[in-house]
Amino acid sequence: NSALTSSSGAVDDESPRSVDLEVLTDSTSQFVQNVGLRKSDVLCDICEETKMKALKSCLACQTSYCETHLDLHQKEYLKKHKLMDPVENINDYICQKHKRPLELFCRDDQTYVCVFCTDGDHKTHNTVTLEKESTEKKTHMMKTQKDVQQMIQDRIKKIQDIRDSADHRKKSTEREKAASVELFRDLMRSIERCQTELLEMMVEKQKAAEKQDEELIQELQQEITELKMRNTELDHLLHTEDHLHLLQIDPSLYSPPHTRNWPEIRMNTDVSVETLRRALTQLQETLDEKLNESVLRVMQHYTVDMTLDPDTAHPNLILSDDGKQVRHGDIQQKLPNNPERFDYYPGVLGKEGFSSGRFYFEVQLKGKTDWNLGVARESNNRKGLITVCPQNGFWTVALRNGNEYWACTGPSVCLYLRVKPQKVGVFVDYEEGLVSFYDVESRSHICSFTGQSFTEKLHLYFCLFSKGDKGQNSFPVTISPVINTE
């Protein structure tokens, strides 16, 4: 285990990236030999002075022979003696009852017997030669060895899969960390920019208010000057004794001069508050836009190559040779009605299925007026009337009549979108039970299915309708390459 992960849980880069099956097999063989299957150092029973290592043991003679004495032993009349690899306790290979070699195996009693035993206690038993029993045992062992080797290979592959998964997870984490850092940098820049704009607006408003105040003060001072002059003139007339001149003055002097109605002037003391409110609203919109953009960028890191499966396509659907496009052909093609094919609704699945992790793809839907798009469970029913909803293994959004968008939740929920999506991104997090839909061009969230429980492979799912629109809905739907704007 220590070779797989470090204490921090990361992959140990210094450990070998793969294990050689031959090395493991050789190590296993060596281990088997070391634990007791090697030949014992049996000595020759004939040698008198210096005992030589035995080459063979004779069951008939119950004696072990070295190479020299074995040649002497193999006379013409002795060639029928049963020779075997040298053993130290040769009596273990001799029937203690009949003093004959144990050359047979009783399958009923699972014991070794001699030829005389088959005329006695084992007369009616199933007995075979040791060679036959050994051959069958070896055949079974070979099968077992093959199974063990396959188990070794499976575990080697599992180790590699774990390392690949850890490496992929590490890279994904690094990408997400980088995207998160960039997101918060963008947000901080947006906040700083909005703060600067707000302060500038407040300063400009203050300057405008101060200018307005100065202008009003000047106007008031001008009127005060004019009023003082009128007051002086009136004061002079009030003290004159020249009655004839008094009666000849301008009648307008008998009334106050026309001035601005100052009580109607209202100072705008809420300018900064309203400005702040507008700035905060703008900031919130900016933050939402940045968040959606960042989330979409992270999802695009999990882009997979998708192609459509012609064996599942409804006969009305026409697929491109590369499996990247599909359109409604109105006239049914003559295709085999295999169990995988949709036969009522014009649907098609993707070839690739996913049973773990995260995946993302984008679909170009420009010009289409009626469709369903999302993912579907591999075992879904594809025959007859189908209710597209999560309970039946479909997680989709739909467009109807060119401008009505729905989340197919069973019953469906209407989606109110600001713009009409031309390209839709679909993101799935298998373990989290999440299916999300995004408008790629406006980088806005459409809707999400959350808290789902996936138990089998998920495939891309299209359903395209014609509705006799005389070709208006004949544009192809395309699995488009993902263009990451980073």
Side-chain angles (χ1 to χ4, degrees), residues 210-230 257 259-260 262 265:
E210 290 177 353
K211 182 179 179 182
Q212 182 184 26
D213 292 343
E214 289 295 329
E215 291 174 350
L216 291 175
I217 289 172
Q218 290 179 5
E219 188 174 348
L220 284 167
Q221 288 176 338
Q222 178 66 30
E223 289 191 357
I224 289 172
T225 300
E226 293 175 357
L227 289 171
K228 283 182 177 181
M229 291 174 61
R230 176 64 61 89
T259 59
R260 187 171 179 176
W262 293 105
I265 297 177

Side-chain angles (χ1 to χ4, degrees), residues 207-302:
K207 288 181 178 179
E210 290 177 353
K211 182 179 179 182
Q212 182 184 26
D213 292 343
E214 289 295 329
E215 291 174 350
L216 291 175
I217 289 172
Q218 290 179 5
E219 188 174 348
L220 284 167
Q221 288 176 338
Q222 178 66 30
E223 289 191 357
I224 289 172
T225 300
E226 293 175 357
L227 289 171
K228 283 182 177 181
M229 291 174 61
R230 176 64 61 89
N231 183 62
T232 301
E233 187 175 357
L234 289 172
D235 185 64
H236 175 72
L237 291 173
L238 287 172
H239 293 85
T240 185
E241 296 297 334
D242 188 349
H243 302 290
L244 179 61
H245 176 69
L246 184 64
L247 295 175
Q248 291 178 345
I249 63 174
D250 190 343
S252 62
L253 290 175
Y254 294 113
S255 301
H258 177 72
T259 59
R260 187 171 179 176
N261 187 8
W262 293 105
E264 295 180 357
I265 297 177
R266 299 176 62 186
M267 304 299 294
N268 187 6
T269 59
D270 296 330
V271 172
S272 297
V273 175
E274 182 60 33
T275 301
L276 179 60
R277 185 180 294 112
R278 287 199 302 268
L280 290 175
T281 301
Q282 180 182 354
L283 176 59
Q284 183 63 52
E285 293 176 354
T286 302
L287 292 178
D288 290 342
E289 180 182 347
K290 290 293 182 182
L291 281 170
N292 282 331
E293 183 176 345
S294 180
V295 168
L296 186 59
R297 282 205 306 266
V298 172
M299 290 181 176
Q300 287 175 332
H301 287 306
Y302 297 96

Side-chain angles (χ1 to χ4, degrees), residues 108-168:
D108 293 342
D109 294 337
Q110 291 292 298
T111 186
Y112 304 104
V113 297
C114 69
V115 291
F116 287 173
C117 293
T118 59
D119 292 331
D121 297 339
H122 301 272
K123 185 174 183 179
T124 59
H125 291 185
N126 180 17
T127 57
V128 295
T129 64
L130 291 181
E131 287 81 359
K132 182 176 181 180
E133 183 68 15
S134 176
T135 299
E136 292 186 9
K137 286 286 193 298
K138 285 182 178 180
T139 300
H140 181 72
M141 289 173 65
M142 289 174 62
K143 181 180 181 303
T144 301
Q145 184 185 40
K146 185 177 180 181
D147 291 342
V148 169
Q149 290 176 346
Q150 184 60 49
M151 291 171 68
I152 293 171
Q153 288 180 325
D154 291 343
R155 281 148 182 78
I156 291 171
K157 184 178 184 302
K158 180 62 68 175
I159 290 172
Q160 193 62 46
D161 289 344
I162 292 172
R163 286 174 173 155
D164 290 344
S165 176
D167 187 54
H168 179 73

Side-chain angles (χ1 to χ4, degrees), residues 28 73 172 205 355 419 444 456 485:
T28 304
H73 173 268
S172 297
K205 290 291 183 181
S355 57
V419 294
S444 59
E456 58 182 89
T485 57

Side-chain angles (χ1 to χ4, degrees), residues 261-396:
N261 187 8
W262 293 105
E264 295 180 357
I265 297 177
R266 299 176 62 186
M267 304 299 294
N268 187 6
T269 59
D270 296 330
V271 172
S272 297
V273 175
E274 182 60 33
T275 301
L276 179 60
R277 185 180 294 112
R278 287 199 302 268
L280 290 175
T281 301
Q282 180 182 354
L283 176 59
Q284 183 63 52
E285 293 176 354
T286 302
L287 292 178
D288 290 342
E289 180 182 347
K290 290 293 182 182
L291 281 170
N292 282 331
E293 183 176 345
S294 180
V295 168
L296 186 59
R297 282 205 306 266
V298 172
M299 290 181 176
Q300 287 175 332
H301 287 306
Y302 297 96
T303 299
V304 294
D305 186 24
M306 286 282 195
T307 53
L308 300 174
D309 185 356
D311 291 336
T312 68
H314 184 278
N316 277 115
L317 300 182
I318 301 174
L319 274 60
S320 62
D321 292 339
D322 62 0
K324 296 292 186 180
Q325 283 190 349
V326 57
R327 63 182 178 87
H328 197 290
D330 291 325
I331 300 175
Q332 286 199 3
Q333 307 170 81
K334 293 182 178 180
L335 299 173
N337 188 22
N338 49 288
E340 298 84 9
R341 192 179 306 282
F342 289 94
D343 66 353
Y344 188 87
Y345 287 116
V348 61
L349 294 180
K351 279 186 179 180
E352 299 75 18
F354 301 87
S355 57
S356 64
R358 301 168 179 173
F359 62 93
Y360 174 86
F361 59 91
E362 293 180 355
V363 180
Q364 179 64 252
L365 296 161
K366 185 176 182 179
K368 307 303 292 182
T369 60
D370 291 270
W371 47 258
N372 281 66
L373 169 65
V375 294
R377 209 164 45 201
E378 188 171 72
S379 64
N380 282 352
N381 174 42
R382 305 171 196 178
K383 304 299 182 183
L385 293 170
I386 302 171
T387 300
V388 178
C389 63
Q391 293 84 348
N392 293 336
F394 293 88
W395 293 267
T396 69

